[in-house]
Amino acid sequence: MNLRQDIHNSDIPVLCQACEARHRGLCGALEPKQLVALSRTSSRHRIHPGAELIGDSENIDSFSNILSGVVKLTKTLSDGRQQIVGLQFAPDFLGRPFRSESVINAQAATELSLCSFPKSVLERMIHESPGFERRLLRQALNELDEARDWMVTLGRKTAGEKVASFLVRIARNIDPEAAANGASATFDLPLTRADIADFLGLTIETVSRQLTKLRTEGVIGIENNRRVNVHNMERLEARSGR
Amino acid sequence: MNLRQDIHNSDIPVLCQACEARHRGLCGALEPKQLVALSRTSSRHRIHPGAELIGDSENIDSFSNILSGVVKLTKTLSDGRQQIVGLQFAPDFLGRPFRSESVINAQAATELSLCSFPKSVLERMIHESPGFERRLLRQALNELDEARDWMVTLGRKTAGEKVASFLVRIARNIDPEAAANGASATFDLPLTRADIADFLGLTIETVSRQLTKLRTEGVIGIENNRRVNVHNMERLEARSGR
DNA sequence: TCCCGGCTTTGATGTCGATCAAGCGCCCGC
DNA sequence: GCGGGCGCTTGATCGACATCAAAGCCGGGA
């Protein structure tokens, strides 16, 4: 086991030592002392797909780091039409600071592992550590960039382009190196067809048809409905309507 | 210059005294001393509709507060399809911190008045004043909420609901009190039909048809193509597909 | 005053994706 | 092994919005 001695692991809570959130996420902004305080009030959870994490118009009184798995953020119109407005991956921070009630719904899209802590603790961290707030700001700005990218997809792309864009986005998140150099990439879809449809503003049937089209034309392979093999990222991207 | 020493505004730069950005915007986080420093390096501009403020993939080396007018943020696909991904009103902060190149395009939608300052000054403010960063974070989170709301509109609403949603959003920004209590509201559209179409992911023709439909059914009145009178906000909202 | 160009409206037709409707494959419990 | 449910695919039809086309309106300049 490679305990990294270079950053005084000795002072760091055991649970935090190998934690993604400390290496690439929010907790990287914290001093050992603060990590100890945080870990005393935080707790880890394992959550099954479909479980609701935050309900629309519920009070917001806790926050989490995503340690593994995928969370989907949804909004629903009064007549039941639904739209996925965000996907979050480890080690993203989950929650909406500075707001008493949630305006969205957060659900586990896959098997999930979270590290949660109460609102009061978040507020204390924000006050005590300027780096903490900086990271929150950076994540918010990145999510905003992503949301805006997605608005273009929703507003201006065809069904085929939408599905290709979706696959590109997932590939980039799950297998960044392969995705970067236009090579091939393989991954499990973290969403069902219904979720993908809600993400893209399409119906299940259209998503299915576009996927089989990509398959029959040799751009991707699909096994067991979930496992996708992008034979050539470059070709997929060309279909995503850049 | 005659700085009046007798009032409590005395330490504040003349230009800032009546400024929206200081009352409701970013500059509210600054001490008089910092305002003086900022005002020394900032400059006011008046800008005409259509002028480009930030180009896609340009270097980001300055930021602004919007003092009056409306800015549209757009993204364009390689084949020319365009989508408006954000609208900003006074006293919003304009710019993308922590990023060397812009991924969007910012254009004046109306006559515009800006207060601009260089990147180095922004960075100094962020370091010197924690409240400054807090306000940036709050604005980013609010914009994110708005973007996600808009994703639902783009992905799941019909043309009629989109146009109604657009009018509701504009009414709320320009005439908040009237909009809040379901009464009537009157305002000038800050966007052309082409812009509205790009905002809603529709064509000009569809926008036009939906507007005339709302007019002939007595929900709104239109004069000179630009001036809109919402006779009854409640009825308009009912058509926006909540 | 008249004319020109840009923005907008209105109409006719076409098409992409939604809707409606089966049917398939797989997993799970009995 | 068998039946049933769920997620997915495939096919036929329909409708909302795009596209193509033309004409109206309005403001600005000669």
Side-chain angles (χ1 to χ4, degrees):
Chain A
M1 169 158 289
N2 60 335
L3 284 179
R4 298 174 48 176
Q5 295 295 335
D6 51 331
I7 41 179
H8 315 298
N9 263 341
S10 51
D11 307 331
I12 294 175
V14 180
L15 269 177
C16 301
Q17 284 181 18
C19 180
E20 276 293 276
R22 192 172 64 83
H23 289 125
R24 300 189 297 125
L26 262 198
C27 295
L30 301 179
E31 302 292 324
K33 201 172 63 181
Q34 296 174 302
L35 275 177
V36 171
L38 178 59
S39 75
R40 236 199 299 279
T41 52
S42 71
S43 58
R44 295 199 171 200
H45 305 279
R46 196 142 255 298
I47 291 168
H48 296 302
E52 185 174 284
L53 307 174
I54 308 169
D56 188 6
S57 73
E58 262 180 23
N59 281 342
I60 301 175
D61 41 37
S62 98
F63 298 87
S64 308
N65 282 307
I66 302 176
L67 305 182
S68 73
V70 179
V71 172
K72 58 180 184 185
L73 308 177
T74 66
K75 289 201 159 220
T76 308
L77 298 177
S78 51
D79 62 1
R81 281 174 287 176
Q82 205 176 49
Q83 175 70 44
I84 294 186
V85 296
L87 287 181
Q88 305 206 270
F89 301 82
D92 286 349
F93 169 78
L94 176 65
R96 171 60 161 93
F98 311 132
R99 201 173 185 123
S100 55
E101 275 195 1
S102 180
V103 291
I104 62 176
N105 214 283
Q107 249 190 323
T110 64
E111 201 68 34
L112 209 62
S113 161
L114 296 182
C115 179
S116 308
F117 43 92
K119 182 170 159 178
S120 58
V121 173
L122 179 79
E123 283 162 358
R124 184 147 44 81
M125 292 293 154
I126 288 179
H127 269 96
E128 287 178 3
S129 170
F132 198 81
E133 193 161 33
R134 177 83 35 95
R135 294 207 183 203
L136 283 177
L137 178 55
R138 278 179 189 273
Q139 177 174 329
L141 290 171
N142 285 336
E143 286 183 33
L144 189 55
D145 286 346
E146 280 182 18
R148 286 175 170 163
D149 249 2
W150 209 250
M151 290 172 75
V152 181
T153 303
L154 288 171
R156 289 302 186 196
K157 291 190 185 175
T158 65
E161 290 169 338
K162 284 181 178 181
V163 171
S165 301
F166 170 74
L167 293 176
V168 168
R169 172 173 275 209
I170 297 299
R172 288 220 178 100
N173 258 292
I174 297 187
D175 196 345
E177 321 77 42
N181 51 34
S184 77
T186 301
F187 52 87
D188 280 329
L189 288 176
L191 302 182
T192 65
R193 301 289 188 274
D195 283 339
I196 299 174
D198 281 346
F199 194 51
L200 296 171
L202 299 170
T203 58
I204 298 181
E205 295 93 324
T206 301
V207 171
S208 175
R209 280 188 247 270
Q210 295 301 332
L211 283 173
T212 59
K213 195 174 173 206
L214 286 173
R215 185 164 45 70
T216 59
E217 296 180 7
V219 182
I220 62 173
I222 305 181
E223 295 166 37
N224 296 330
N225 290 341
R226 279 298 185 114
R227 189 146 197 84
V228 171
N229 177 17
V230 180
H231 299 134
N232 182 337
M233 281 298 284
E234 179 55 29
R235 255 182 93 195
L236 185 62
E237 280 174 25
R239 285 173 166 259
S240 71
R242 305 169 276 198
Chain B
M1 175 144 289
N2 60 336
L3 289 176
R4 295 178 51 181
Q5 299 294 332
D6 52 351
I7 54 174
H8 107 290
N9 261 348
S10 56
D11 306 332
I12 295 176
V14 179
L15 268 178
C16 301
Q17 285 182 17
C19 180
E20 276 293 276
R22 193 172 63 85
H23 288 124
R24 301 188 298 123
L26 262 198
C27 294
L30 301 179
E31 303 292 325
K33 200 171 63 179
Q34 296 174 300
L35 275 177
V36 171
L38 178 58
S39 75
R40 236 197 299 279
T41 52
S42 71
S43 58
R44 295 198 170 201
H45 304 279
R46 197 141 254 299
I47 291 168
H48 296 301
E52 185 174 284
L53 307 174
I54 308 170
D56 188 6
S57 72
E58 262 180 21
N59 282 341
I60 300 175
D61 40 37
S62 98
F63 298 88
S64 307
N65 282 307
I66 302 175
L67 304 183
S68 73
V70 179
V71 173
K72 58 180 185 185
L73 308 177
T74 67
K75 288 200 161 222
T76 307
L77 298 177
S78 51
D79 62 1
R81 281 174 289 176
Q82 204 176 50
Q83 176 70 43
I84 293 185
V85 296
L87 287 180
Q88 304 205 271
F89 301 83
D92 287 348
F93 169 77
L94 177 65
R96 171 61 162 92
F98 310 133
R99 201 173 187 124
S100 56
E101 274 194 3
S102 180
V103 291
I104 62 177
N105 214 284
Q107 246 189 326
T110 64
E111 201 68 33
L112 208 62
S113 161
L114 296 182
C115 179
S116 308
F117 44 91
K119 181 170 161 180
S120 58
V121 174
L122 179 79
E123 282 161 358
R124 184 146 44 81
M125 293 293 155
I126 288 179
H127 269 96
E128 286 178 4
S129 170
F132 198 82
E133 193 161 33
R134 177 83 35 94
R135 295 207 182 204
L136 282 177
L137 178 55
R138 279 179 188 273
Q139 176 175 329
L141 290 171
N142 285 335
E143 286 182 34
L144 189 55
D145 286 346
E146 281 181 19
R148 285 175 169 162
D149 250 3
W150 209 248
M151 289 171 75
V152 181
T153 302
L154 288 172
R156 289 303 186 197
K157 291 190 184 173
T158 64
E161 290 170 338
K162 285 181 177 181
V163 171
S165 300
F166 170 74
L167 292 176
V168 169
R169 171 173 275 208
I170 298 298
R172 288 221 178 99
N173 256 292
I174 296 185
D175 195 346
E177 322 77 42
N181 51 34
S184 76
T186 301
F187 52 87
D188 279 329
L189 288 176
L191 302 183
T192 65
R193 300 288 186 275
D195 282 340
I196 299 174
D198 280 347
F199 194 51
L200 296 170
L202 299 170
T203 58
I204 299 181
E205 294 94 324
T206 301
V207 170
S208 175
R209 281 187 246 269
Q210 294 300 334
L211 283 173
T212 59
K213 195 174 173 206
L214 286 174
R215 184 164 46 71
T216 58
E217 296 180 6
V219 181
I220 62 173
I222 304 181
E223 296 164 35
N224 296 332
N225 290 340
R226 280 297 186 116
R227 190 148 197 82
V228 171
N229 177 17
V230 180
H231 299 134
N232 182 338
M233 279 299 282
E234 179 55 30
R235 255 182 94 196
L236 185 63
E237 280 174 24
R239 287 173 164 259
S240 71
R242 304 170 274 198

